[in-house]
Amino acid sequence: MRRTGFLYDERYLLHRTGSGHPECPERLTAIFAGIASSGLLEKVRRITAHRPDLAWIEAVHPRDYIERLEQACLNGETEFHGPDNQMCRATFQVALLAAGGILDTLDLIMSGELDNAFCAVRPPGHHAEPMYAMGFCYFNNIAIAARYLQKRWGIGKVAIVDIDVHHGNGTQLIFEADQTVFYYSIHEHPTFAFPGTGREFEIGRDKGLGYTKNSIVVPGQGDEIYRFLLERDLVPALEMFRPEVILVSTGFDAHADDDMADLKLTTEGYAWVMRKIRELADRFCGGKLVSILEGGYCLERLPELGRDHVAILLGD
Amino acid sequence: MFVTKAMTRKVVTVRPEDNLLDTRALMKSHKIHHIPVVEEGNKLVGIISDRDVRSAMPSTLYYESGSERERVKLEKFKVRDVMTKNVITLSLRDTVQDALLLLLKYDIGGLPVVDGDGRLVGILAVRDLLRALVSVLGIGQPGSLLCLLVDDKLGETKKIVDIVFEEKIPIGSILVARHWEPGKRAVFPYLMSINVGSLKRKFQEKGYTILDPEEWYLEDVERTKEERVP
């Protein structure tokens, strides 16, 4: 069995998005319930969050943006950069704790206390651009994590594997000219799904040319195409790149029962995808793998998806 | 949309007495295929395309491009020798729709825009139209596309817009394909939001068919292995 961390902090439930909003606190409690009820809590190392040094947020977001988000929360505003991003007075603090908890988790991985981890955080991050909140995301958690690994732990090469059904436009934008962070994403075809980026011809630019890779899934497709595309695109990309750590933007919204998008990945399909990523982490990074929650909105499916995810990290 | 909204205003121009080698170099450095030819006072007198230049050049099979021999010969040839003199132009009152129809009708790639005195004020090339199309479709902005099948009768698109409005989702664009299948239309609202799950549920509850793209755009082509999966 592997030493697996599980970041879950009840303060992540304090980010309130209003009634009927899909990015709701119940997403996290559903994931937690699935993990707890299958007896996995005793097998993982529980992690709670600390507020991070703002300098780590500033490695991705300009101070001006951070201050404006804080100000909007203090003013009691209920949305930020458009109606998708509903928020409350606690949102700024919760968003900081999401990033902070991830950094705490990375410390445990890098100091050798843990092999891998699942960070069940809210709000999600992969749509957030340095200066722009988007698609329920305020701080780009995974980008902050990659920069932290590089600056705090001296890691040279970080691979980000994004399996959310939506393209992580923010993450891609942040690293598109950077050859030290490989961004791979598999998602629904951008003509149909938000945000409309992540086309196959987006492959990075300048020094980062060839260090961005997007795999496109046409609406209605599921397990088989995921197997096909991960083998065809992700495996050779990582063989070329040889990452030292793999970070995963885990979105459970490609599931067939999730109506935020149109893909048909099954619960078993998700398990296959995660085992494949774990296998790649074993091959290239001595198993060092940190999964960070992004989307996933089907409250009925999240318990089993969260349970399987943690079970696979533990070595199942 | 009037052409002045979409045209390029900083136009690269040549004079009739300029030579073809310089003109070719201008096209290359600016990555353009058409250059309006102007005289004193920016008066439009012609247009020269990369095709005009190329057909005036000796074959590269005989002369190495950029060779001394080619240069000496080509310096003698002027823009006025090969330019198109009867230029099809746009006026300031013309619209992007006019431009699309004109380009199609004459099978050309660029239209100079002139004022009432025949002075060049801009150019509308295919590239400008593509930019305008991206803007009209709204796809430069983040959003999600819905594909709905409705009856081919008056008021169906309005109902769809009303439902989207009730959910408070901004619309980036809405396309309607009138002849989808007998008695049906396809409506494609591009929504400026990630949050389309409850809207889709609402459409389904109200009896709308959400089109499965898998069924319509790959149906009559032979698929490769990748496309056949699953």
Side-chain angles (χ1 to χ4, degrees):
Chain A
M1 202 166 75
R2 295 162 198 243
R3 297 165 301 162
T4 295
F6 175 48
L7 168 64
Y8 179 85
D9 193 307
E10 289 193 341
R11 289 171 294 176
Y12 293 155
L13 306 177
L14 299 175
H15 164 50
R16 303 244 164 223
T17 49
S19 80
H21 196 282
E23 206 290 277
C24 55
E26 291 76 13
R27 297 175 57 232
L28 276 201
T29 48
I31 288 171
F32 184 84
I35 294 165
S37 67
S38 49
L40 293 173
L41 280 183
E42 292 75 55
K43 299 181 179 168
V44 295
R45 161 103 171 245
R46 295 285 302 276
I47 305 164
T48 49
H50 294 95
R51 196 186 145 112
D53 188 330
L54 276 184
W56 298 117
I57 310 293
E58 283 177 43
V60 168
H61 300 279
R63 177 175 291 250
D64 179 50
Y65 171 82
I66 302 169
E67 284 172 357
R68 262 187 274 170
L69 177 61
E70 180 174 27
Q71 207 56 52
C73 284
L74 291 173
N75 290 345
E77 285 167 32
T78 56
E79 63 179 60
F80 191 65
H81 295 169
D84 276 356
N85 313 312
Q86 293 290 318
M87 61 180 194
C88 64
R89 283 186 191 275
T91 294
F92 177 73
Q93 297 296 340
V94 179
L96 282 182
L97 284 174
I102 293 166
L103 303 189
D104 295 340
T105 305
L106 293 175
D107 287 339
L108 293 168
I109 301 273
M110 295 313 299
S111 62
E113 289 182 51
L114 292 175
D115 298 312
N116 57 33
F118 175 43
C119 303
V121 296
R122 285 180 70 241
H126 73 153
H127 293 306
E129 296 180 354
M131 288 293 284
Y132 207 73
M134 197 196 282
F136 317 152
C137 303
Y138 303 89
F139 294 140
N140 195 309
N141 299 319
I142 204 157
I144 293 165
R147 287 290 180 239
Y148 183 78
L149 282 172
Q150 295 185 317
K151 294 186 178 189
R152 167 68 181 82
W153 289 98
I155 294 293
K157 291 186 288 181
V158 180
I160 296 175
V161 177
D162 189 330
I163 59 169
D164 189 279
V165 78
H166 306 102
H167 177 242
N169 58 292
T171 316
Q172 175 173 304
L173 180 73
I174 291 160
F175 299 113
E176 66 183 352
D178 188 333
Q179 80 277 33
T180 66
V181 177
F182 194 103
Y183 179 68
Y184 172 82
S185 179
I186 181 166
H187 47 263
E188 181 176 343
H189 196 302
T191 288
F192 304 96
F194 185 90
T197 53
R199 308 215 178 233
E200 267 178 325
F201 54 79
E202 294 169 20
I203 54 171
R205 62 175 175 85
D206 304 328
K207 279 188 175 166
L209 190 68
Y211 294 86
T212 292
K213 176 85 191 159
N214 289 297
S215 298
I216 309 300
V217 185
V218 170
Q221 294 188 321
D223 295 3
E224 279 189 66
I225 196 79
Y226 267 74
R227 287 171 204 243
F228 177 81
L229 291 173
L230 290 184
E231 295 286 1
R232 189 195 71 179
D233 297 343
L234 174 63
V235 173
L238 295 189
E239 276 169 355
M240 177 278 289
F241 183 66
R242 309 241 151 215
E244 293 158 64
V245 180
I246 295 178
L247 301 176
V248 187
S249 266
T250 298
F252 293 120
D253 40 7
H255 195 281
D257 293 341
D258 195 306
D259 61 10
M260 284 290 279
D262 316 294
L263 299 191
K264 299 276 178 275
L265 205 55
T266 63
T267 300
E268 296 71 39
Y270 260 107
W272 184 89
V273 168
M274 203 51 211
R275 283 204 184 90
K276 174 54 72 177
I277 296 171
R278 187 189 67 192
E279 173 194 318
L280 292 168
D282 287 344
R283 210 173 134 195
F284 300 116
C285 328
K288 282 202 270 301
L289 173 67
V290 177
S291 158
I292 298 170
L293 184 65
E294 302 285 358
Y297 307 93
C298 178
L299 298 177
E300 293 73 31
R301 289 285 164 258
L302 284 173
E304 70 197 45
L305 289 163
R307 174 202 68 204
D308 289 0
H309 195 71
V310 169
I312 290 164
L313 288 174
L314 281 164
D316 190 357
Chain B
M1 192 197 288
F2 286 98
V3 290
T4 46
K5 278 268 182 206
M7 70 186 186
T8 296
R9 285 164 194 270
K10 275 192 178 164
V11 192
V12 178
T13 59
V14 289
R15 298 289 180 123
E17 62 275 17
D18 288 344
N19 76 52
L20 293 189
L21 268 187
D22 293 344
T23 304
R24 185 175 70 175
L26 263 181
M27 286 177 171
K28 226 176 169 173
S29 64
H30 287 87
K31 292 185 180 156
I32 50 179
H33 305 290
H34 305 86
I35 301 187
V37 186
V38 294
E39 284 182 337
E40 207 52 41
N42 224 21
K43 228 19 185 220
L44 184 76
V45 294
I47 189 163
I48 184 165
S49 72
D50 55 354
R51 209 186 299 181
D52 298 329
V53 176
R54 210 179 304 134
S55 48
M57 296 280 179
S59 165
T60 50
L61 296 176
Y62 289 96
Y63 295 96
E64 199 186 322
S65 182
S67 72
E68 181 62 13
R69 236 172 125 187
E70 189 199 42
R71 196 182 59 74
V72 171
K73 195 156 184 176
L74 290 178
E75 269 185 344
K76 287 189 293 200
F77 292 111
K78 304 299 180 192
V79 166
R80 73 163 73 86
D81 302 326
V82 298
M83 72 183 191
T84 299
K85 294 189 185 76
N86 295 321
V87 191
I88 299 159
T89 59
L90 293 167
S91 77
L92 298 175
R93 330 174 287 284
D94 286 331
T95 60
V96 169
Q97 286 88 330
D98 294 324
L100 284 169
L101 296 171
L102 270 175
L103 290 176
L104 258 186
K105 179 170 180 186
Y106 292 103
D107 196 17
I108 49 179
L111 291 162
V113 183
V114 293
D115 67 11
D117 298 323
R119 279 190 299 255
L120 182 74
V121 293
I123 187 165
L124 198 80
V126 168
R127 194 186 305 174
D128 301 303
L129 286 169
L130 293 178
R131 209 180 290 120
L133 185 63
V134 166
S135 155
V136 164
L137 290 175
I139 57 176
Q141 299 285 319
S144 324
L145 187 75
L146 278 195
C147 316
L148 298 161
L149 196 65
V150 300
D151 290 335
D152 186 7
K153 58 183 193 208
L154 211 61
E156 287 298 320
T157 311
K158 178 190 182 297
K159 283 189 207 159
I160 288 174
V161 173
D162 286 345
I163 293 167
V164 175
F165 176 74
E166 281 166 25
E167 290 284 305
K168 298 198 186 91
I169 296 177
I171 297 180
S173 67
I174 184 159
L175 295 181
V176 181
R178 301 203 145 266
H179 306 290
W180 192 260
E181 57 183 65
K184 296 284 181 190
R185 275 178 212 179
V187 181
F188 303 89
Y190 185 68
L191 307 167
M192 314 304 272
S193 174
I194 185 177
N195 192 1
V196 294
S198 62
L199 178 67
K200 273 194 265 182
R201 269 197 305 277
K202 205 162 180 180
F203 275 120
Q204 277 162 335
E205 280 161 18
K206 288 181 185 280
Y208 285 89
T209 306
I210 295 182
L211 285 165
D212 181 357
E214 176 75 346
E215 278 170 21
W216 46 271
Y217 80 102
L218 293 175
E219 63 187 355
D220 28 296
V221 287
E222 199 176 319
R223 300 186 191 191
T224 63
K225 181 174 178 290
E226 171 197 349
E227 289 154 351
R228 266 199 310 275
V229 175

